[in-house]
Amino acid sequence: MTHNILDVLTYMFDYLFEEAEQDDAHEIDDLELKAHLSDAGFDIVGIDKALNWLENIAALQDGKIKPFNTVYSSSMRIYTQAEQDKLDSKSRGFLLFMENIGQLDANQREMIIEQVMSLGEAKIDLEDLKWVVMMVLGNSVDGEISAQWLESIVFLDEKRTLQ
């Protein structure tokens, strides 16, 4: 039994991807998803927290965070001490990298940081951050993102270059 939101979310996304590959016409409702997650050993508190966390992404995209004026491309994001405590320099560097290659805008970055800060974890490592990035971008309404490209971010070998 676990309350870890990221464990529930990563298991849930793996399950949903598998189901979509097997039968893309079958839609999984909330009750079926909760039952499957419960059968996998996750407790209802962790499942509810994970689903609420996902709903928060939609709320953020519905205008909770005001759009930034991105005219100034040379602006810099200053992290608070709490954010620095949660996201190490590698993780912050990854977010900057994603912005620099044009795969993440300032609004999406703020959504990711907001979602990371809402997790109960004391620290988030780079692998967990990649999952959060994938979930936020995958649920983004700002544009079409390739599921294959998103997976490549999460499972990227750090010794290889991103193309």
Side-chain angles (χ1 to χ4, degrees):
M1 300 287 239
T2 180
H3 292 282
N4 185 325
I5 295 171
L6 279 175
D7 287 343
V8 176
L9 289 168
T10 53
Y11 184 88
M12 179 179 63
F13 274 91
D14 283 343
Y15 169 69
L16 293 174
F17 279 128
E18 276 180 27
E19 288 296 309
E21 285 177 2
Q22 291 175 3
D23 181 9
D24 59 353
H26 177 233
E27 289 190 29
I28 299 170
D29 65 10
D30 283 353
L31 291 176
E32 184 180 349
L33 180 60
K34 284 181 178 183
H36 179 78
L37 292 170
S38 182
D39 291 346
F42 295 104
D43 60 33
I44 195 67
V45 172
I47 295 168
D48 287 341
K49 283 182 180 180
L51 293 175
N52 288 337
W53 188 89
L54 280 176
E55 287 175 11
N56 191 46
I57 292 173
L60 290 172
Q61 292 175 351
D62 286 340
K64 183 177 173 188
I65 294 180
K66 301 293 181 220
F68 289 96
N69 181 355
T70 55
V71 172
Y72 304 107
S73 62
S74 62
S75 63
M76 179 186 298
R77 170 63 156 85
I78 306 296
Y79 289 84
T80 67
Q81 187 60 53
E83 292 167 344
Q84 289 178 43
D85 292 343
K86 184 143 320 215
L87 293 164
D88 64 13
S89 61
K90 248 184 166 177
S91 297
R92 295 188 310 267
F94 178 75
L95 291 175
L96 180 60
F97 168 73
M98 293 293 290
E99 278 188 88
N100 286 339
I101 64 170
Q103 296 302 315
L104 190 67
D105 65 27
N107 291 317
Q108 292 165 326
R109 178 199 62 222
E110 292 305 311
M111 284 183 220
I112 291 165
I113 293 169
E114 173 106 5
Q115 290 301 104
V116 164
M117 296 307 290
S118 72
L119 294 170
E121 317 303 310
K123 276 192 160 299
I124 300 296
D125 65 17
L126 182 57
E127 294 308 308
D128 287 341
L129 175 65
K130 288 177 181 180
W131 276 103
V132 174
V133 168
M134 185 178 85
M135 289 180 231
V136 170
L137 291 181
N139 288 298
S140 178
V141 294
D142 290 341
E144 283 297 311
I145 306 268
S146 160
Q148 200 171 28
W149 185 85
L150 284 174
E151 279 188 50
S152 74
I153 291 171
V154 172
F155 301 111
L156 177 71
D157 179 359
E158 290 183 23
K159 294 179 177 104
R160 296 179 42 202
T161 55
L162 183 67
Q163 297 189 19

